[in-house]
């Protein structure tokens, strides 16, 4: 194999590799990015929010009157895990939520408890349902001493739940509230910095108007068969209602909430939340009489740092496959294409120099040719006769 052929093969190889890198860059920036921009299947986290509020004292159920304490410390905790069905298209999140008075020990301070399950599309983060899967469920409450496996009550979800979609937009999204069992608008409310991460801020009102006025509270949906916690009948003395202390008074339970969410727009991770929730009993929905829980909690710093780290990890993964590698492959591919083209051009010139029959005349004919223009053998080549040199040292008297 001569040098020209080797150069031509090398040029073809470089150009082929360059073209392959350009195709790979195109696929990474379109097809592959869409495949990796999905809700992860390995979510396993615990988020804690702290705050204060007005809360019912569970011990007063056995007393002469229901007691409601003010300015008590409360903690709201969410434990999020992935359950089945979860696959390439959908993911199912199970979220166990509890609200506790931290000034009480163990179950004496438990105010709220719920296990919510939702199946969502991994790309859009919207709740999905099918014939075999209603798209969501809540766990039926159990007594402390109950050792039977938990049972679920089907609760179809709508809209977003515990995450926003990748590439979150500056618009209004429907956000499902598992207590109200309904989706309410989460409105875009500007950008904000959370621990160095630029986030989109969304606000949602459930039962409140934009000015924080109670306008349309939600009647609490009990998870008990007898609606034990949604409607309570007790003596007027227990409620603290004036009149006959023995008169039975029935009150319904209502719920309203205001929340602000800080969302990473790239991954859709909710990195921080601020929530004010109001649970109360009343005979008239718009005239609260006995507060069960009226609290405001904010995600604590440890949970914020954990969520920010998770969002950054998702950002880095998307940036690697969606921007860094495509740019790198494009740049290297173009360099290889240009280099291959130049090397191919050089190989053609080299090959032409080897096969062009006129190249031996470039130095004005080093070889003798016959009348037909063909080179003649060296033995027949014409030679130049050198003139004889006259002797100059003969005696002067010697005739020449």
């Amino acid at each position: 194999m001569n040098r020209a052929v080797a150069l031509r093969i090398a040029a073809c190889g470089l150009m082929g590799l360059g073209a392959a890198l350009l195709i790979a860059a195109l696929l990474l920036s379109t097809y592959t990015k869409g495949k990796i921009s999905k809700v992860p299947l390995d979510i396993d986290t615990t988020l804690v929010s702290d705050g204060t509020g007005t809360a019912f004292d569970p011990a007063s159920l056995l007393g002469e009157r229901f007691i409601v304490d003010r300015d008590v410390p409360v903690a709201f905790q969410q434990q999020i895990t992935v359950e089945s069905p979860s696959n390439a298209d959908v993911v199912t999140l199970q979220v166990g939520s509890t609200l506790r008075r931290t000034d009480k020990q163990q179950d004496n301070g438990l105010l709220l408890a719920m296990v919510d399950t939702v199946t969502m599309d991994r790309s859009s983060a919207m709740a999905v349902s099918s014939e075999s899967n209603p798209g969501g469920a809540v766990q039926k409450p159990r007594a402390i001493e109950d050792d039977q496996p938990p049972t679920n009550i089907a609760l179809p979800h709508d809209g977003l739940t515990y995450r926003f979609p990748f590439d979150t937009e500056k618009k209004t999204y429907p956000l499902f509230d598992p207590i109200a069992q309904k989706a309410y608008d989460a409105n875009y409310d500007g950008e904000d910095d959370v621990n160095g991460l630029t986030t989109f801020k969304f606000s949602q009102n459930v039962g409140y108007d934009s000015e924080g006025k109670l306008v349309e509270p939600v009647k609490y949906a009990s998870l008990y068969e007898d609606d034990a916690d949604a409607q309570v009948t007790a003596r007027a003395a227990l409620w603290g209602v004036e009149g006959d202390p023995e008169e039975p008074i029935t009150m319904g339970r209502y719920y309203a909430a205001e929340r602000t969410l800080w969302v990473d727009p790239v991954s859709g991770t909710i990195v921080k939340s601020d929530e004010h929730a109001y649970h109360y009993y009343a005979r008239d929905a718009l005239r609260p009489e006995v507060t069960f829980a009226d609290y405001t909690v904010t995600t604590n710093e440890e949970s914020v740092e954990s969520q920010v780290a998770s969002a950054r990890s998702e950002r880095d993964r998307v940036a690697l496959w969606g921007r860094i590698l495509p740019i790198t492959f494009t740049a290297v591919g173009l360099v290889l294409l240009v280099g291959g083209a130049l090397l191919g051009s050089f190989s053609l010139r080299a090959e032409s120099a080897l096969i062009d029959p006129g190249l031996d005349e470039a130095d004005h004919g080093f070889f003798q040719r016959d009348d037909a223009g063909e080179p003649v053998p060296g033995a027949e080549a014409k030679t130049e006769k050198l003139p004889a040199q006259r002797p100059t040292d003969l005696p002067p008297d010697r005739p020449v």
Side-chain angles (χ1 to χ4, degrees):
M1 181 185 299
N2 59 43
R3 181 177 300 177
V5 174
L7 290 176
R8 188 162 62 248
I9 293 175
C12 292
L14 290 177
M15 296 181 69
L17 181 57
L21 288 176
L22 290 178
I23 295 173
L26 180 61
L27 292 176
L28 285 173
S29 61
T30 54
Y31 178 80
T32 305
K33 182 182 177 182
K35 290 295 183 181
I36 65 171
S37 297
K38 293 185 175 183
V39 178
L41 295 174
D42 59 350
I43 298 175
D44 186 359
T45 185
T46 299
L47 306 176
V48 179
S49 299
D50 300 319
T52 59
T54 300
F56 179 78
D57 183 0
S60 67
L61 288 171
L62 303 177
E64 294 296 324
R65 182 174 178 175
F66 297 149
I67 296 176
V68 178
D69 299 320
R70 298 181 179 277
D71 297 324
V72 297
V74 295
F76 180 69
Q77 178 176 297
Q78 289 183 315
Q79 185 172 1
I80 307 174
T81 57
V82 173
E83 305 294 334
S84 61
S86 295
N87 50 47
D89 300 317
V90 300
V91 61
T92 299
L93 298 182
Q94 185 178 83
V95 182
S97 305
T98 59
L99 176 70
R100 293 178 178 274
R101 288 181 55 166
T102 57
D103 61 336
K104 300 288 185 177
Q105 297 296 321
Q106 299 179 348
D107 294 322
N108 291 328
L110 183 63
L111 297 173
L112 298 169
M114 172 179 285
V115 179
D116 181 37
T117 302
V118 58
T119 300
M120 64 179 68
D121 184 278
R122 292 184 62 197
S123 297
S124 67
M126 291 287 184
V128 295
S129 60
S130 63
E131 294 182 357
S132 60
N133 177 29
V138 289
Q139 197 173 102
K140 186 177 180 180
R142 298 186 300 160
I144 298 175
E145 63 277 4
D146 191 354
D147 58 358
Q148 296 299 316
T151 57
N152 288 334
I153 303 172
L155 176 60
H157 287 50
D158 182 28
L160 305 176
T161 46
Y162 302 99
R163 289 184 68 99
F164 279 67
F166 275 79
D167 298 323
T168 300
E169 300 179 38
K170 299 178 180 180
K171 68 178 187 178
T172 297
Y173 288 94
L175 183 65
F176 189 81
D177 187 310
I179 296 178
Q181 300 186 359
K182 181 180 176 181
Y184 291 82
D185 286 345
N187 301 305
Y188 174 74
D189 199 25
E191 295 185 5
D192 203 356
D193 181 273
V194 178
N195 288 17
L197 185 72
T198 300
T199 63
F200 289 174
K201 185 165 65 173
F202 291 87
S203 59
Q204 182 189 50
N205 292 320
V206 178
Y208 287 102
D209 63 14
S210 59
E211 298 178 354
K213 181 181 178 181
L214 192 64
V215 291
E216 195 176 352
V218 178
K219 185 171 178 56
Y220 190 80
S222 176
L223 300 178
Y224 292 96
E225 294 180 357
D226 57 356
D227 290 342
D229 56 347
Q231 186 169 292
V232 177
T233 300
R235 295 181 296 110
L238 284 172
W239 289 116
V241 175
E242 295 180 356
D244 183 0
E246 298 300 322
E247 180 185 359
I249 302 293
T250 299
M251 293 192 186
R253 180 172 169 179
Y254 296 90
Y255 162 75
E258 301 170 288
R259 55 178 58 93
T260 302
L261 306 172
W262 286 264
V263 179
D264 170 38
V266 176
S267 66
T269 303
I270 300 174
V271 300
K272 181 182 176 181
S273 67
D274 184 281
E275 178 173 329
H276 166 229
Y278 189 19
H279 297 256
Y280 62 91
Y281 288 95
R283 286 169 285 185
D284 182 342
L286 294 177
R287 297 179 63 183
E289 296 184 70
V290 178
T291 298
F292 179 74
D294 183 6
Y295 61 93
T296 300
V297 292
T298 302
T299 309
N300 65 20
E301 189 60 30
E302 182 179 354
S303 295
V304 170
E305 290 178 356
S306 173
Q307 290 297 90
V308 168
S310 177
R312 290 190 185 279
S313 177
E314 289 297 311
R315 280 191 173 205
D316 292 342
R317 186 167 65 92
V318 172
L320 175 64
W321 293 97
R323 187 174 67 251
I324 297 175
L325 288 181
I327 292 176
T328 302
F329 285 2
T330 299
V332 176
L334 290 175
V335 170
L336 291 177
L337 282 177
V338 173
L342 293 176
L343 187 60
S345 175
F346 180 77
S347 68
L348 291 176
R349 292 175 58 188
E351 187 175 13
S352 298
L354 291 176
I355 64 175
D356 190 346
L359 291 178
D360 60 350
E361 296 180 352
D363 293 327
H364 308 287
F366 289 117
F367 303 100
Q368 184 63 43
R369 296 178 180 272
D370 58 18
D371 294 337
E374 296 296 329
V376 300
E380 300 178 8
K382 298 179 181 179
T383 57
E384 183 179 359
K385 294 183 179 180
L386 298 177
Q389 185 177 6
R390 291 175 63 99
T392 58
D393 54 350
L394 295 176
D397 55 350
R398 184 177 179 177
V400 179

